[in-house]
Amino acid sequence: AQSVTQLDSQVPVFEEAPVELRCNYSSSVSVYLFWYVQYPNQGLQLLLKYLSGSTLVESINGFEAEFNKSQTSFHLRKPSVHISDTAEYFCAVSENSGNTPLVFGKGTRLSVIA
Amino acid sequence: GAVVSQHPSRVICKSGTSVKIECRSLDFQATTMFWYRQFPKQSLMLMATSNEGSKATYEQGVEKDKFLINHASLTLSTLTVTSAHPEDSSFYICSAPDSSPGTLHFGNGTRLTVT
């Protein structure tokens, strides 16, 4: 079984400042890793994912995450945040075989302050 | 791209009634669908996995007689909340994997409010 830990429940940050949202996972098998974003009263949107290959993955809106197997981490970073990045961010993990469900972390609320 | 359509987006019902939520894969076949539940300001918890043509698999602590899941075809899975009570009020989200590794498509969710 897998588990995901998002240590920070809330992260306030000023606009144009950098941010890092932390995610650690636990699994006895190889995994896929994901970051999803959820805006108020909306569903989930995939931000980025790691399946294999390069450990650094990027999204189209400036976020990036790096898979670190030794530290079992998949932290999400952005060098300069915007007000519109205010949302709930979920890290998730699944086994890398077959149709397996995602296991989600508890989420981190990113609040960007003008 | 692939889309999962979930309906209704919002529903308000009275205590004791039943509510059906539909999840359709629009341009791909989904032999498996996952149903999640999200309480306010909390994470998504897997409730059950529905499989086309067979019984759903429920997670520990989820009442299968209360949350009826039917996966009638390769494109449709339904979740029926039977005899709903206020504590069933929540955000329910379905998701379906397609043939690409590590690819899950999510519906937009259903906000259920039981009064």
Side-chain angles (χ1 to χ4, degrees):
Chain A
Q2 296 82 43
S3 66
V4 177
T5 302
Q6 291 181 249
L7 290 171
D8 306 304
S9 59
Q10 296 187 62
V11 174
V13 63
F14 286 104
E15 192 174 18
E16 297 184 4
V19 70
E20 177 180 84
L21 305 184
R22 295 180 292 169
C23 172
N24 288 89
Y25 71 93
S26 173
S27 177
S28 58
V29 299
S30 296
V31 297
Y32 296 144
L33 292 157
F34 306 80
W35 276 99
Y36 283 85
V37 59
Q38 185 178 36
Y39 298 100
N41 296 312
Q42 293 188 30
L44 297 175
Q45 297 178 32
L46 178 65
L47 198 56
L48 45 74
K49 63 183 178 182
Y50 169 79
L51 303 184
S52 64
S54 173
T55 57
L56 184 64
V57 291
E58 299 176 347
S59 72
I60 59 173
N61 57 351
F63 284 94
E64 64 178 32
E66 187 160 19
F67 169 53
N68 187 319
K69 188 174 182 179
S70 62
Q71 297 185 7
T72 60
S73 67
F74 191 55
H75 302 328
L76 181 70
R77 303 184 183 94
K78 189 171 185 178
S80 175
V81 296
H82 301 289
I83 294 289
S84 59
D85 293 324
T86 295
E88 191 82 21
Y89 290 79
F90 292 97
C91 182
V93 63
S94 73
E95 289 183 24
N96 71 348
S97 61
N99 292 335
T100 57
L102 296 184
V103 175
F104 287 88
K106 292 187 175 182
T108 298
R109 173 71 178 172
L110 173 63
S111 299
V112 181
I113 307 161
Chain B
V3 174
V4 170
S5 175
Q6 185 173 345
H7 292 281
S9 57
R10 288 179 177 271
V11 59
I12 301 173
C13 69
K14 291 186 176 180
S15 187
T17 61
S18 294
V19 174
K20 180 184 284 189
I21 301 169
E22 291 189 348
C23 185
R24 293 180 184 272
S25 57
L26 295 185
D27 57 358
F28 68 102
Q29 293 184 336
T31 56
T32 300
M33 284 193 183
F34 304 113
W35 287 93
Y36 289 86
R37 180 175 183 176
Q38 184 182 30
F39 289 104
K41 300 187 186 298
Q42 294 190 32
S43 187
L44 288 84
M45 300 301 295
L46 181 67
M47 297 175 65
T49 301
S50 73
N51 301 290
E52 190 269 336
S54 64
K55 290 184 179 181
T57 304
Y58 290 82
E59 296 300 301
Q60 190 174 8
V62 178
E63 298 177 61
K64 62 180 181 180
D65 294 330
K66 181 167 187 61
F67 299 100
L68 300 179
I69 290 174
N70 183 28
H71 198 141
S73 74
L74 288 171
T75 59
L76 174 64
S77 176
T78 61
L79 167 66
T80 302
V81 183
T82 62
S83 186
H85 292 284
E87 57 265 31
D88 298 324
S89 299
S90 192
F91 193 56
Y92 294 87
I93 306 176
C94 65
S95 72
D98 70 17
S99 57
S100 301
T103 302
L104 270 128
H105 304 284
F106 281 84
N108 283 332
T110 298
R111 174 75 60 191
L112 171 63
T113 303
V114 185
T115 61

